[in-house]
Amino acid sequence: MEPEQIRSGRERARALFVERIASSGVIPYKKQTLAAHLETLRHVGDYAAHLAEESLVTLADEVLSAAARAKGVCPSEMVMRAMVDGKEPRPFEMAPIVTNWLASIEGPKAEAGAYEAQLFRHLRNHPRPVLPHDLTLVRQQADSDRRREAVVRERIENGGASEEERGWLAALVEDRRRARAIIQAGDAARREKKRAVEEGAA
């Protein structure tokens, strides 16, 4: 899922899930304040941003049914997230580890060092904070991939590349594109935040 799709997905989730539950009259979970209740719904809406329209409608129905069985009390955030998880799988780009690394200032560093695709793959295979040793291995893999990429591209130009080589290159190019899309979205978010701060201080 591309960053733009994630943004539009959040808007869709807020319209079809958050606003519907917020206006339904359900009682906030465990005497939450209204503000806390609405914040919980927004959290769940963001978590459900990958869901299709039909799934969001079903999710809202399930939450309302659960509330009806609980004398009008809204389910907890944990329960609602479990309902989301029971539907469509979340894309890798929406995992918190991606936001914490590729969409952070570490992303532009990776792109400048030409190891963004390898970092993307590392995070996909090892969804945890990147340690210094991990980064060393990522850079080493990037060097190896660069050498292989040059060879494969030359073979393609000469008409001698195998299907396996072409597939390997296509996968690398796609992961590089996906990584750069996340990095660019992180850059845009930081610029927007900086602009908002500057306008607020003016």
Side-chain angles (χ1 to χ4, degrees):
M1 180 175 280
E2 299 296 326
E4 181 57 40
Q5 291 176 304
I6 293 173
R7 282 192 290 273
S8 62
R10 285 174 176 158
E11 292 172 0
R12 183 172 63 247
R14 286 172 184 172
L16 296 176
F17 173 74
V18 177
E19 292 180 11
R20 183 177 172 195
I21 302 302
S23 62
S24 69
V26 298
I27 302 169
Y29 179 72
K30 285 194 174 180
K31 298 182 180 179
Q32 279 184 320
T33 64
L34 180 57
H37 172 62
L38 293 176
E39 186 66 16
T40 294
L41 293 179
R42 282 192 288 270
H43 287 168
V44 177
D46 287 348
Y47 188 72
H50 64 290
L51 295 182
E53 182 173 326
E54 183 178 337
S55 296
L56 286 167
V57 171
T58 301
L59 175 66
D61 288 341
E62 290 176 355
V63 169
L64 292 175
S65 294
R69 292 192 299 271
K71 297 182 180 180
V73 177
C74 185
S76 69
E77 180 171 349
M78 182 182 299
V79 168
M80 289 189 284
R81 281 176 175 252
M83 292 178 179
V84 174
D85 290 338
K87 294 174 174 53
E88 303 158 37
R90 288 170 59 79
F92 168 69
E93 283 87 341
M94 295 185 71
I97 193 66
V98 175
T99 303
N100 293 341
W101 288 93
L102 276 176
S104 75
I105 59 173
E106 297 302 322
K109 292 178 184 177
E111 187 171 11
Y115 58 87
E116 67 273 27
Q118 290 73 24
L119 181 57
F120 176 87
R121 289 175 167 181
H122 176 84
L123 290 168
R124 183 169 58 198
N125 296 329
H126 308 283
R128 56 173 172 73
V130 180
L131 303 174
H133 177 66
D134 296 327
L135 202 51
T136 297
L137 294 178
V138 164
R139 287 171 172 155
Q140 289 174 349
Q141 185 63 54
D143 290 340
S144 176
D145 287 346
R146 247 189 315 275
R147 291 191 293 271
R148 185 179 180 187
E149 181 178 1
V151 171
V152 172
R153 288 188 181 279
E154 183 177 355
R155 288 180 179 171
I156 290 174
E157 287 182 11
N158 297 330
S162 67
E163 286 302 312
E164 186 275 333
E165 288 174 325
R166 291 175 182 272
W168 176 87
L169 180 60
L172 177 65
V173 170
E174 174 62 11
D175 283 347
R176 185 179 291 146
R177 183 194 65 78
R178 292 173 70 186
R180 287 177 177 174
I182 297 168
I183 292 167
Q184 289 166 9
D187 276 342
R190 282 189 294 278
R191 286 195 300 270
E192 178 61 25
K193 184 176 181 179
K194 181 180 179 181
R195 184 191 63 77
V197 170
E198 289 174 347
E199 288 183 353

